[in-house]
Amino acid sequence: MESELACPIAPVVDLVFSRWTTPILWTLNEHGRLRFVELERRIGTITPKVLTQRLRQMERDGLVTRTYHPEVPPRVEYEISELGRSLAPVFHGLAEWSKRNLAKVDEARSRYDGTN
Amino acid sequence: MESELACPIAPVVDLVFSRWTTPILWTLNEHGRLRFVELERRIGTITPKVLTQRLRQMERDGLVTRTYHPEVPPRVEYEISELGRSLAPVFHGLAEWSKRNLAKVDEARSRYDGTN
DNA sequence: ATAGTCACTTTCCTCTAGGTACCTGCTATC
DNA sequence: GATAGCAGGTACCTAGAGGAAAGTGACTAT
């Protein structure tokens, strides 16, 4: 939504790392196709309104596919798309960095706060 | 700031991809040590208040180092730390993904909007 | 007859990140 | 003596994201 000329990855950051998209994508990547309530329950703290919003947006962006089954009660299944799955290496890289360096961040914070 | 139990990379996303941190980190990585106003001008649309906030936060997290020179006029230099630099592969991965797949996102959006 | 399921939608409300605008102390420059 | 530059700090304000709670419609199970 911003120009941010200085940073070429700004658009993809907006796309992939805006609020709730990572938990949704991660969950969908781990558990395959899931129904709305399953997704809701796995993520735990998200409200249905926001979950719908995010899913619509991600469907529009082609990261997620939505399959509607006109039954009663209705059944809707969400699945990560091929495009969404192509983000896996990036996510994996982040997980690795996290494992290696998150402790250092905590140390840095303690040092900065003088609580060492 | 959230639990988000379902997603192990949530903490690092909060850390690295919160607003303005990517442009700042990117700029600092490209141009080496920079003074406050140089950073401000390169990023272009950021306000001094927010830039200060973000820089303090990133200094606390150990991603950036701040060097104060008690001269007149005062000179302060910001530099990306080793920890910050260790994010380079992740950023590179994102840039690559961007180059390869951002067009697909646009296509998906056009398809979704019916403007094809 | 009542309650429950699913996949949302709608309304209302709060909260805070971030923007605007102005201030500081010190100096060099016009 | 007025202005500009540096590196911010401070007070105020607003838009908009996101949460809470209730409703919907069609059906089933108890």
Side-chain angles (χ1 to χ4, degrees), chain A residues 35-37 49 52 56 66 73-76 78:
Chain A
R35 307 181 60 168
F36 188 84
V37 276
K49 177 194 149 193
T52 306
R56 287 285 138 77
R66 185 186 120 111
R75 191 160 55 91
V76 177
Y78 293 95

Side-chain angles (χ1 to χ4, degrees), chain A residues 30-89:
Chain A
E30 288 286 290
H31 302 91
R33 39 175 55 203
L34 288 177
R35 307 181 60 168
F36 188 84
V37 276
E38 291 171 337
L39 213 42
E40 194 182 351
R41 284 198 269 258
R42 285 196 184 279
I43 297 179
T45 54
I46 198 170
T47 65
K49 177 194 149 193
V50 175
L51 182 55
T52 306
Q53 282 180 351
R54 291 283 91 92
L55 283 171
R56 287 285 138 77
Q57 186 189 320
M58 294 166 74
E59 192 198 353
R60 179 170 180 264
D61 293 338
L63 298 175
V64 156
T65 58
R66 185 186 120 111
T67 323
Y68 178 73
H69 304 270
E71 310 166 358
V72 170
R75 191 160 55 91
V76 177
E77 288 180 318
Y78 293 95
E79 201 177 1
I80 191 168
S81 70
E82 203 187 330
L83 186 56
R85 218 170 249 120
S86 73
L87 283 164

Side-chain angles (χ1 to χ4, degrees), chain A residues 89-107:
Chain A
V90 174
F91 279 35
H92 183 259
L94 270 172
E96 273 300 305
W97 191 93
S98 194
K99 229 182 289 177
R100 292 214 183 102
N101 299 303
L102 218 53
K104 295 184 188 175
V105 173
D106 282 338
E107 288 170 34

Side-chain angles (χ1 to χ4, degrees), chain B residues 26-74:
Chain B
W26 188 277
T27 307
L28 247 28
N29 193 52
E30 287 286 291
H31 301 91
R33 39 173 56 202
L34 288 178
R35 307 181 60 170
F36 188 85
V37 275
E38 291 172 337
L39 253 174
E40 193 182 351
R41 284 198 268 259
R42 285 197 185 280
I43 297 178
T45 54
I46 198 170
T47 68
K49 178 193 149 191
V50 176
L51 182 54
T52 305
Q53 282 180 352
R54 290 284 92 92
L55 282 172
R56 287 287 136 78
Q57 186 189 319
M58 293 165 74
E59 192 197 352
R60 179 171 182 264
D61 293 339
L63 298 175
V64 157
T65 58
R66 184 186 120 112
T67 323
Y68 178 73
H69 304 270
E71 308 164 359
V72 170

